[in-house]
Amino acid sequence: KQYTGSDNIDKKTLMAMKYAMVNYHWDFSEFFMYNYESLSPSERESFIPEYEKNIFCDRVNDYNKAKIFDSKWLTYTHFKKYYGRDVILLSDSFDLYKDSFKSFIDKHRSFIVKPDSDASGRGIKILHVTDCEDAVKKILDNYSHQFDNLVIEELIVQADEMARFHPDSVNTIRMRSFRFDDRVEILPCNMRIGQGGAVVDNTGQGGISAALDDNGQVTVACDEAGKLYYTHPNTGIPIVGYCVHKWDEAVKMIKELALIVPEVRYVGWDIALTDNGWVLIEGNDKGMFVGIQKTTQKGFRPVINRILNELDLSL
């Protein structure tokens, strides 16, 4: 269950929520997502709340370099080799009338629009247009209230192997990498799958998170409310037990990506599988742990403590 602020909560639970916030730095949503009241003190301590995750990222990542990941456009400029698609930036509405935009529309009658700095799938829309004039109109109609650095991307055509789960969304893998001085390590990862016709796969927008083992096989899957899924509710395709295709190629690509900006040691990468191989969607210098902790109901602290100990750091 996710806390919305409108739930009727008894006094005992409310006191426990406050205790969790003061002693473990859990916010109210984390209290429900990680089933606080069913855990022992040591189990509670094993979970890394968002508060501590941000501290961890600030300890291990260079702030000035990490700002690259605050912008989808800057991320693209640094990692474009791995995008495998056309991407342009509309910094303001005047860019709609430039030759670069017209050339893009001449090639792509369908495309995805992403606000440059938003996260969790907010503001993302797929637009289908007939010509450049129609594209201008639809972008202005949809983004007149927030026209500030829109990233326009050619649609990713995902491989059938991933599309069959939920064809309306590009279903992705969140891969977490950590660069030590002498190596890159792949941390626990999860697959993300849309549902209900949504164009994004984020759990915050109703998607399903599926935990992956070291070989890319799904061990457990759930949504943000904690509901477990063994098959996809819309398509009936089995989720648990599925092995991600070309897993070794995905690992190889992530290890290459992790070396491009070495000052940013920890990154959560979102990648998609196409018929031509894996492509990068975006990177997150503060990639959340909640997707893997909630899905497995296991805390991430042993992983983080091991990293901090090797680097002689602490939270």
Side-chain angles (χ1 to χ4, degrees):
K1 180 178 180 181
Q2 183 181 17
Y3 178 67
T4 64
S6 60
D7 306 76
N8 293 318
I9 300 173
D10 61 68
K11 185 175 181 181
K12 180 181 177 182
T13 300
L14 185 59
M15 291 298 293
M17 292 167 69
K18 291 179 178 178
Y19 185 89
M21 178 174 286
V22 171
N23 291 277
Y24 297 101
H25 302 123
W26 291 22
D27 65 29
F28 289 168
S29 290
E30 291 167 331
F31 179 91
F32 290 107
M33 283 192 294
Y34 302 146
N35 297 308
Y36 175 90
E37 291 181 294
S38 69
L39 302 177
S40 68
S42 63
E43 289 171 328
R44 294 166 183 168
E45 182 63 32
S46 73
F47 283 84
I48 300 283
E50 186 71 1
Y51 171 82
E52 285 189 74
K53 184 270 295 179
N54 289 334
I55 295 175
F56 168 76
C57 293
D58 288 340
R59 290 278 195 276
V60 300
N61 291 341
D62 180 282
Y63 172 77
N64 290 317
K65 292 293 185 179
K67 288 190 291 187
I68 292 167
F69 296 97
D70 292 339
S71 159
K72 291 178 174 62
W73 178 249
L74 281 180
T75 304
Y76 168 70
T77 61
H78 281 77
F79 302 97
K80 65 173 64 178
K81 171 185 172 183
Y82 297 89
Y83 271 66
R85 62 194 182 279
D86 292 336
V87 183
I88 63 171
L89 176 69
L90 301 178
S91 57
D92 55 47
S93 58
F94 294 105
D95 285 345
L96 290 168
Y97 305 97
K98 292 183 177 179
D99 289 342
S100 57
F101 180 72
K102 183 179 185 303
S103 296
F104 182 92
I105 298 302
D106 285 343
K107 290 176 63 179
H108 310 293
R109 293 292 197 245
S110 297
F111 51 88
I112 192 165
V113 184
K114 302 177 180 179
D116 184 50
S117 299
D118 271 359
S120 300
R122 290 187 297 269
I124 292 178
K125 296 180 185 294
I126 292 177
L127 299 181
H128 306 282
V129 302
T130 56
D131 54 28
C132 192
E133 183 178 349
D134 187 35
V136 171
K137 181 180 184 304
K138 286 183 175 175
I139 289 176
L140 291 176
D141 286 347
N142 282 278
Y143 292 96
S144 60
H145 63 292
Q146 60 176 108
F147 204 115
D148 180 22
N149 289 344
L150 297 177
V151 176
I152 314 296
E153 298 184 8
E154 174 187 355
L155 292 181
I156 293 172
V157 180
Q158 64 185 327
D160 290 343
E161 191 61 36
M162 293 294 282
R164 66 195 184 107
F165 288 102
H166 183 255
D168 294 307
S169 60
V170 175
N171 306 306
T172 63
I173 307 296
R174 165 58 65 88
M175 297 193 72
R176 300 170 180 85
S177 67
F178 195 90
R179 186 195 66 79
F180 294 91
D181 292 339
D182 58 347
R183 71 188 190 281
V184 173
E185 184 175 321
I186 304 299
L187 305 183
C189 306
N190 55 294
M191 182 167 73
R192 305 188 306 183
I193 310 167
Q195 66 167 316
V199 301
V200 295
D201 61 358
N202 307 69
T203 54
Q205 303 296 323
I208 297 168
S209 173
L212 302 172
D213 65 17
D214 292 343
N215 298 310
Q217 184 172 24
V218 175
T219 58
V220 62
C222 72
D223 61 19
E224 191 171 47
K227 181 179 179 180
L228 293 172
Y229 294 88
Y230 297 91
T231 62
H232 195 282
N234 304 129
T235 60
I237 300 297
I239 299 174
V240 175
Y242 171 73
C243 289
V244 175
H245 282 214
K246 300 184 179 179
W247 178 252
D248 290 343
E249 293 180 22
V251 170
K252 179 177 181 293
M253 186 177 85
I254 295 304
K255 288 186 175 182
E256 291 177 5
L257 287 167
L259 296 175
I260 293 174
V261 185
E263 296 87 352
V264 185
R265 291 181 180 269
Y266 169 72
V267 180
W269 308 95
D270 295 335
I271 61 174
L273 182 62
T274 73
D275 288 341
N276 296 318
W278 292 98
V279 297
L280 176 62
I281 296 177
E282 64 181 28
N284 302 270
D285 67 293
K286 290 189 175 179
M288 299 173 72
F289 301 156
V290 64
I292 195 69
Q293 290 189 138
K294 177 171 181 51
T295 306
T296 61
Q297 286 298 301
K298 292 182 180 179
F300 216 64
R301 193 174 300 280
V303 175
I304 297 309
N305 283 348
R306 176 174 57 79
I307 291 171
L308 292 172
N309 287 338
E310 182 165 341
L311 297 177
D312 197 23
L313 296 173
S314 62
L315 292 180

